[in-house]
Amino acid sequence: MLKNNLPIVLTAITLFLAPKLHDHSFSYLYFIGTLSLLLSVTLFKLLSAYNTVITVPANNYVLFFTGFTAWSFLSISWSPVPSDSFYSAVIFLVLPLSLLLAFWSTVKQQHTFYLTLAAFILITLAKTYYQRFILVPQLPAPGFFSNKNTNATFIAMILLPFCTYFLTEKQARYKRHFTGLIIACGSFIITLTVSRGALLGLCIGLFLILLHTLFEKQSIKNYLILLGYLALGFLIAELLTGSSYSTRLINQSVSSNMTTISTGRDYIWNSGLQMYLEQPVLGRGLNMFHWLFPQFRHIDAPDIGQFAHNDYLQFLIELGPIGFVLFSGFVITFLKSSGMLYLKTADKDQKLFYLGLIAACIAVLTHSLFTFNLYQPAPLLLLGLYIGVLTQGLEKQKLQKSLSVTPSKIKRLTKTGYIGIITSIALVFVYFVAINSLTLFKVYQTYPNNLVALENTIQATILTPYKEEYVATQANLYRQLLSMDAHMFSEQGKQQLFEQGIEASDLAIKQNPFRDLNYTNKAHLYLLHATADLNHFDEIVNAYSEAVRLDPFNLETRLHFADALMKFNEKEMAFNVLNGGLGRTYVSKYQNGILYLQILLALVITSNDQPAIERIKHQINVLLDKKEQGGYFTLQ
């Protein structure tokens, strides 16, 4: 199987599945598909290799990444949200699996795979054109990803090997120009994304290729033609978009304001550093940054902080110095080994081929200083495939040793036992795939009413009780049933829903103490149970107060909190809650800001504070002019 093109077809499919992962909700199914394909090919290779030699890379960088992945899984033990850390750690398995497949591949398979990369660029070209000019005009194109920067760096990773292939000497003229057109298409896509970080990575790669051209005394003419094809794609995109890329590049890169240059990343990095200093030994646990960020977010920060926008900093925050050192060791030893392979390779075309792969790896590792490529499976997939080919080169030239094992020669390992081990691994993974696919469908399918949705969510929670998101969804459904569908139930039924809802909210808080929605759901349930009952006052205030503490930027939470306080005639407390939201930069619909200011105005009017009244009225009028829109705004 591994000697034909079926593995290439399966790997090509993963190119389209992996980019569709957005979070650990329904889109996680795409990642499950990616991992299933990679693992299936790997296990088939191992299953059929009982009497043959299995060669496994034992390079230092492979060992460092193995240690890094193991440490990521270990962080589950101290993570405040273990399920989130677990599902994130599983993503890192993409790199070693793809590395193994590339390491075992033949030269013919590798050439076939590059044709699939060319097809990927052409298909992405059509998709990004549709996104940029038809679907959502004037906005950067994310391609198959949820983020435009990842789209850009992924295309840059594909382009750099094509750039070196373009410069190889033993190549027919028509092939060179076909490659040039593919490169122009890739340049066009990157320009539509207006990503500066991907451009930086691409330029670093092109500079390395230029140095090679000069030192090896190759044709500088071909290099200039290569730049011409890159410029062609860039210029066409600029003409079609009215120089949007150049304008953004000049406005943001030439500015003297650090926040403008970094697009608000300086705020995120400062918050991340504070986050790390509060727990500097083991780290916060993998993928905990986005749960913690709202508490550390600067009042002027324009980004909501899903990631630290610097993978190395985020590894330090979440995995501590040990995780950071392990990943840094992986990067350093890989660059050292790949540099040695480049220098020791005698054949000029092969040397250039290796340089293209090395340059692509450097491009994504450089861009990761400014974004979150390494938390997504697609860049990890391509990075692993490229490193696997380079590792194969090191092994062929006997520059670095690999570990060779013949399973049949291992004492006490019978064929039945060997097949049993492989089958056990496969069965465990099949269970993981089946249980997660089933529960994801149960929770995120569309249902005719909330009661059916609740029943399916409860079933999903029973099957995967460790997944906190399902418990949080349960609590939210109890709240919706009591607020929107209360007429369906008797008083006894409402009481039962209330009790079960509070129980689900408490469990959700225990499994994820940083999700502010868990606290607002609890407060809402108490309000729906007996709005005028002062016995619930403390529970409501405590729940809302904790939600505001966890995310001070959530306008909706503050509005609900203030509304609840006014129902209890606590107008001064309501004013303080709303007043605490002033001076912050929000990313929301302007309608939310208008409603917020209107309620605040109603409270301020009684104080007869004329300057404050006029200030609030002015802000309301400004937002009313664009109330149907959304974006950044600051309430004063």
Side-chain angles (χ1 to χ4, degrees):
M1 175 181 174
L2 290 182
K3 292 185 178 180
N4 57 38
N5 285 330
L6 182 57
I8 303 303
V9 173
L10 296 177
T11 306
I13 293 172
T14 64
L15 286 176
F16 293 93
L17 291 176
K20 292 182 176 292
L21 175 69
H22 300 161
D23 49 36
H24 297 164
S25 298
F26 192 74
S27 67
Y28 201 79
L29 279 171
Y30 293 105
F31 169 70
I32 289 175
T34 299
L35 195 62
S36 299
L37 293 175
L38 294 175
L39 192 61
S40 297
V41 179
T42 304
L43 290 179
F44 186 89
K45 158 72 175 177
L46 295 174
L47 189 64
S48 59
Y50 179 69
N51 293 310
T52 60
V53 177
I54 300 174
T55 306
V56 180
N59 313 67
N60 287 334
Y61 53 85
V62 174
L63 297 177
F64 267 115
F65 194 84
T66 302
F68 171 78
T69 305
W71 185 253
S72 300
F73 277 100
L74 190 61
S75 75
I76 296 168
S77 61
W78 64 82
S79 169
V81 191
S83 64
D84 230 21
S85 296
F86 169 74
Y87 283 100
S88 297
V90 173
I91 292 173
F92 290 140
L93 296 177
V94 166
L95 191 146
L97 286 173
S98 57
L99 190 155
L100 272 177
L101 295 182
F103 180 74
W104 291 332
S105 65
T106 64
V107 173
K108 183 180 178 181
Q109 286 177 324
Q110 291 167 20
H111 289 163
T112 305
F113 180 70
Y114 298 132
L115 291 177
T116 68
L117 291 180
F120 182 87
I121 284 183
L122 294 175
I123 294 170
T124 306
L125 173 69
K127 186 172 181 65
T128 52
Y129 183 91
Y130 173 75
Q131 290 173 330
R132 178 63 177 79
F133 298 105
I134 300 173
L135 185 63
V136 189
Q138 309 305 318
L139 289 180
F144 290 98
F145 297 84
S146 60
N147 179 271
K148 64 182 180 62
N149 290 311
T150 314
N151 179 27
T153 199
F154 198 72
I155 297 299
M157 288 180 74
I158 296 174
L159 281 191
L160 287 166
F162 276 90
C163 288
T164 53
Y165 179 71
F166 181 90
L167 297 175
T168 53
E169 296 176 354
K170 301 172 185 176
Q171 185 180 174
R173 188 173 181 180
Y174 78 93
K175 286 186 178 180
R176 191 187 303 277
H177 289 298
F178 173 76
T179 305
L181 290 174
I182 294 295
I183 291 169
C185 291
S187 174
F188 181 88
I189 295 168
I190 292 174
T191 307
L192 292 186
T193 67
V194 296
S195 171
R196 293 175 297 158
L199 179 64
L200 174 64
L202 181 63
C203 288
I204 290 173
L206 291 171
F207 180 70
L208 293 174
I209 296 171
L210 174 61
L211 291 178
H212 169 90
T213 303
L214 296 174
F215 285 130
E216 295 293 325
K217 297 181 179 178
Q218 291 188 314
S219 172
I220 193 69
K221 178 183 176 182
N222 286 338
Y223 184 82
L224 294 175
I225 295 172
L226 167 66
L227 294 183
Y229 275 111
L230 285 164
L232 176 64
F234 173 80
L235 290 173
I236 292 174
E238 284 291 86
L239 286 171
L240 292 176
T241 60
S243 300
S244 62
Y245 193 70
S246 300
T247 303
R248 182 176 188 268
L249 199 64
I250 293 169
N251 290 344
Q252 294 191 331
S253 302
V254 182
S255 172
S256 59
N257 187 303
M258 180 59 188
T259 301
T260 302
I261 294 172
S262 67
T263 324
R265 286 174 174 82
D266 55 328
Y267 286 124
I268 299 176
W269 295 337
N270 287 331
S271 298
L273 184 60
Q274 294 173 34
M275 202 182 297
Y276 165 70
L277 292 174
E278 286 196 8
Q279 198 163 315
V281 181
L282 293 176
R284 298 286 190 161
L286 187 64
N287 201 36
M288 289 300 101
F289 180 87
H290 70 106
W291 291 120
L292 292 161
F293 178 74
Q295 300 172 55
F296 294 86
R297 180 178 170 184
H298 190 277
I299 58 172
D300 295 324
D303 198 288
I304 59 176
Q306 288 294 99
F307 296 93
H309 287 273
N310 182 321
D311 286 330
Y312 306 93
L313 173 62
Q314 190 158 342
F315 289 151
L316 179 65
I317 295 166
E318 296 178 348
L319 301 175
I322 294 176
F324 177 78
V325 168
L326 286 170
F327 190 81
S328 299
F330 158 71
V331 173
I332 293 167
T333 53
F334 163 69
L335 293 176
K336 183 179 177 181
S337 297
S338 58
M340 179 173 62
L341 174 64
Y342 169 78
L343 294 173
K344 296 290 184 180
T345 302
D347 183 270
K348 286 188 176 181
D349 282 353
Q350 189 65 35
K351 192 171 192 172
L352 197 54
F353 167 68
Y354 286 146
L355 179 61
L357 300 180
I358 295 167
C361 294
I362 291 174
V364 70
L365 292 171
T366 301
H367 189 207
S368 292
L369 288 165
F370 308 101
T371 189
F372 41 90
N373 293 318
L374 303 178
Y375 278 78
Q376 302 175 83
L380 288 173
L381 170 69
L382 210 50
L383 187 63
L385 291 169
Y386 287 173
I387 293 175
V389 174
L390 294 169
T391 306
Q392 184 188 82
L394 287 164
E395 200 269 338
K396 283 181 177 179
Q397 296 191 34
K398 302 189 184 303
L399 296 173
Q400 290 183 354
K401 293 181 179 180
S402 298
L403 181 64
S404 296
V405 179
T406 304
S408 60
K409 293 183 179 180
I410 300 175
K411 291 182 179 180
R412 298 182 181 179
L413 183 61
T414 64
K415 188 172 184 178
T416 303
Y418 179 74
I419 293 174
I421 292 171
I422 302 299
T423 304
S424 297
I425 295 171
L427 288 174
V428 169
F429 186 71
V430 167
Y431 175 79
F432 170 82
V433 170
I435 204 73
N436 280 281
S437 299
L438 177 63
T439 55
L440 285 168
F441 273 109
K442 278 186 172 295
V443 174
Y444 296 106
Q445 268 189 315
T446 302
Y447 294 103
N449 57 65
N450 288 325
L451 194 58
V452 177
L454 177 62
E455 290 173 356
N456 280 276
T457 304
I458 290 172
Q459 291 174 14
T461 307
I462 293 170
L463 293 170
T464 52
Y466 52 85
K467 191 158 186 180
E468 62 84 24
E469 191 170 355
Y470 294 168
V471 185
T473 303
Q474 263 192 66
N476 196 48
L477 286 168
Y478 280 116
R479 164 187 163 183
Q480 290 184 40
L481 282 168
L482 285 171
S483 60
M484 299 167 59
D485 305 310
H487 61 279
M488 297 168 54
F489 306 98
S490 64
E491 291 303 316
Q492 184 179 359
K494 292 177 185 177
Q495 178 63 25
Q496 186 177 358
L497 286 174
F498 167 74
E499 292 173 357
Q500 291 173 345
I502 293 297
E503 183 180 350
S505 296
D506 287 337
L507 181 57
I509 290 169
K510 182 180 179 181
Q511 290 189 346
N512 187 350
F514 297 116
R515 189 191 287 270
D516 61 310
L517 180 63
N518 292 335
Y519 298 92
T520 57
N521 279 333
K522 185 175 181 178
H524 268 86
L525 286 166
Y526 276 119
L527 283 167
L528 291 166
H529 179 243
T531 304
D533 189 351
L534 291 176
N535 291 331
H536 294 316
F537 179 76
D538 289 340
E539 287 89 346
I540 293 168
V541 171
N542 290 338
Y544 271 130
S545 297
E546 186 63 12
V548 170
R549 186 188 72 81
L550 290 172
D551 190 355
F553 291 81
N554 193 321
L555 281 175
E556 189 176 357
T557 299
R558 288 185 182 272
L559 284 170
H560 286 307
F561 190 9
D563 182 59
L565 289 169
M566 285 191 286
K567 287 178 180 177
F568 286 108
N569 202 31
E570 295 287 348
K571 293 184 179 180
E572 186 176 348
M573 288 181 67
F575 172 78
N576 291 335
V577 168
L578 294 176
N579 195 51
L582 301 181
R584 300 178 185 275
T585 299
Y586 295 95
V587 185
S588 179
K589 292 180 180 178
Y590 294 129
Q591 187 63 47
N592 292 336
I594 293 168
L595 179 61
Y596 192 94
L597 291 170
Q598 286 173 338
I599 296 174
L600 181 61
L601 180 63
L603 292 170
V604 171
I605 284 176
T606 59
S607 68
N608 202 29
D609 186 345
Q610 287 303 318
I613 292 170
E614 293 302 319
R615 185 182 71 248
I616 295 170
K617 284 182 176 179
H618 174 71
Q619 290 183 81
I620 292 173
N621 290 332
V622 170
L623 291 177
L624 278 172
D625 292 337
K626 42 189 177 181
K627 65 178 180 180
E628 300 302 326
Q629 303 174 30
Y632 295 105
F633 58 87
T634 302
L635 303 180
Q636 301 290 346

